[in-house]
Amino acid sequence: MIEPRTVPLASSELGSLWMTYQEKTMTYQMLKHFLRHEADEESRALLTRAYTDAGGFIEAIRGILEREGAVVPVGFGDTDVKPDAPALFNGMFAVSFLRMLAKITGGIGALHLGMSYREDVRRLNVELTNKAQNMYEDATELLLKRGMLTRPPIVTPPQETEFVEGLQYMKGHSVLHKARPVNLVETAHLYQQLETNAFGLELMTGFAQVAAEPDARRYFEQGLELARDTVDMVRSLFMESDMNPSPAPGGRATDSTAPVFSDKLMMYCTNLLTTFGLGGNALGTSFSLRSDLPLKLIALATKVYNFAQEGGKLMIKHGWMEEPPQAENREELVLSHS
């Protein structure tokens, strides 16, 4: 085996390590707050495990970058969380947060694994993906056991196979035509949109209550409205097909308005979830065979994309956006010596 130090990090590996470091330092700081207020033993055990795992990945990435002679990102630190702040969320919201994060990091870890070539980076991404999958499993099981997670709609299993006959299957609603009910592949992706935005609604509520900057507070209020509109739109699609899902957020925002997290951290967390939502929307669009569904999902994706763009501008305005690593600017190097 070639020793890692004899093989330089590829550009894709530097980029993926930078992204993972940002997410893990954010998670580490948020878990500090959740752990301080978590009394339930099983929930606390999950949070403690996630906290330890995040710390381990932070140290592992820092070690790789330092051995490579690369600068370690700033990410997030102790100044991004108020240690004595009252609880911002109650119920089992912290476990719901872990479950949502496990969905995101599991997907990102698998994506980054496909961009990894050096043995130590591959091994790190394999471990990250495995831990995320295990956390998703354990958080889901605990939430179900406590009645804090609602399953997608239950339907009668099909008794025979069928094939599509005619293009009517692909038509959406019109004045003269009522669309078929959503099929179960479409249902699966729509429910993920519903569940993600039900969670996001509570997260945005809490963030809006404690944001320090007025424009950040308004931004989180916009996120709250976007999540609420998405929940209403997707639920109406289910209702048209005689299904009535009601995803539980797994906990709620308290009435606290005391600062907990820095605006920088909350903006990054929102951006991470927004990016995840855009990816889920794209998958849902690609698997939808009813012509009106992609149109609705694309319109939603446009709103989400614009929301993300406004968030980026706001982060730049306040100096909260850390710049990702980039390749050498050859033109600037040449000009600097001219």
Side-chain angles (χ1 to χ4, degrees):
M1 183 190 303
I2 298 174
E3 289 294 323
R5 64 176 178 273
T6 68
V7 180
L9 286 172
S11 55
S12 59
E13 293 166 338
L14 279 167
S16 64
L17 289 171
W18 184 90
M19 287 181 63
T20 303
Y21 192 86
Q22 299 290 327
E23 181 269 315
K24 290 303 175 190
T25 53
M26 178 208 75
T27 300
Y28 192 77
Q29 296 304 323
M30 292 188 75
L31 287 173
K32 282 183 181 178
H33 173 74
F34 291 137
L35 274 167
R36 182 177 179 84
H37 297 284
E38 187 57 66
D40 180 86
E41 288 187 11
E42 288 185 274
S43 298
R44 190 171 182 81
L46 276 185
L47 293 170
T48 301
R49 194 174 92 203
Y51 181 77
T52 302
D53 288 346
F57 283 119
I58 291 168
E59 290 305 313
I61 294 170
R62 183 181 288 125
I64 291 173
L65 294 176
E66 287 178 345
R67 287 191 296 273
E68 201 71 17
V71 65
V72 176
V74 174
F76 301 92
D78 293 341
T79 58
D80 291 300
V81 61
K82 305 289 185 184
D84 299 323
L88 183 56
F89 300 98
N90 60 20
M92 297 189 71
F93 190 87
V95 178
S96 297
F97 172 80
L98 282 184
R99 181 174 180 269
M100 186 61 62
L101 211 59
K103 285 187 182 185
I104 296 172
T105 56
I108 291 175
L111 181 66
H112 287 173
L113 178 60
M115 301 175 180
S116 302
Y117 299 83
R118 212 169 79 171
E119 190 269 341
D120 57 338
V121 182
R122 295 200 315 269
R123 189 171 62 243
L124 183 142
N125 282 309
V126 167
E127 184 181 3
L128 190 150
T129 304
N130 288 340
K131 286 185 180 297
Q133 290 172 343
N134 291 335
M135 182 57 67
Y136 177 81
E137 169 71 15
D138 294 341
T140 299
E141 186 62 30
L142 181 56
L143 288 166
L144 287 171
K145 185 170 72 172
R146 300 294 174 80
M148 300 296 286
L149 182 65
T150 310
R151 298 175 186 271
I154 305 299
V155 300
T156 304
Q159 303 301 305
E160 58 184 29
T161 58
E162 296 183 17
F163 287 83
V164 175
E165 297 179 358
L167 298 179
Q168 289 286 103
Y169 187 85
M170 300 181 71
K171 288 186 176 180
H173 283 297
S174 68
V175 176
L176 302 175
H177 177 262
K178 182 179 180 181
R180 61 166 172 79
V182 291
N183 65 41
L184 300 191
V185 175
E186 294 161 343
T187 296
H189 290 279
L190 286 171
Y191 190 81
Q192 291 308 301
Q193 291 275 351
L194 191 61
E195 186 176 80
T196 300
N197 281 276
F199 170 85
L201 196 154
E202 292 299 330
L203 186 72
M204 292 298 97
T205 298
F207 283 0
Q209 288 175 189
V210 301
E213 293 290 341
D215 49 4
R217 192 179 311 122
R218 287 192 295 271
Y219 184 73
F220 296 133
E221 289 172 349
Q222 292 171 13
L224 192 159
E225 290 301 317
L226 180 57
R228 182 180 290 128
D229 290 345
T230 302
V231 167
D232 290 343
M233 184 202 78
V234 176
R235 182 175 285 136
S236 70
L237 289 170
F238 277 107
M239 294 291 286
E240 290 168 4
S241 298
D242 298 318
M243 290 184 277
N244 184 22
S246 298
R252 301 198 65 189
T254 66
D255 60 359
S256 176
T257 58
V260 179
F261 306 115
S262 68
D263 288 357
K264 173 191 169 185
L265 183 147
M266 293 189 292
M267 288 295 299
Y268 174 81
C269 183
T270 302
N271 179 264
L272 183 67
L273 289 169
T274 302
T275 304
F276 174 70
L278 278 171
N281 188 295
L283 277 176
T285 301
S286 64
F287 284 104
S288 296
L289 293 177
R290 211 177 82 178
S291 61
D292 59 331
L293 296 183
L295 294 176
K296 291 177 184 290
L297 292 172
I298 289 170
L300 172 62
T302 301
K303 292 181 181 179
V304 175
Y305 175 78
N306 290 336
F307 177 71
Q309 286 288 96
E310 288 304 310
K313 293 175 183 177
L314 187 58
M315 292 174 75
I316 291 171
K317 172 187 171 182
H318 288 285
W320 297 332
M321 182 180 286
E322 188 174 352
E323 186 176 325
Q326 60 186 43
E328 303 89 338
N329 188 322
R330 299 297 180 180
E331 186 175 350
E332 281 189 5
L333 291 173
V334 170
L335 289 175
S336 67
H337 288 281
S338 61

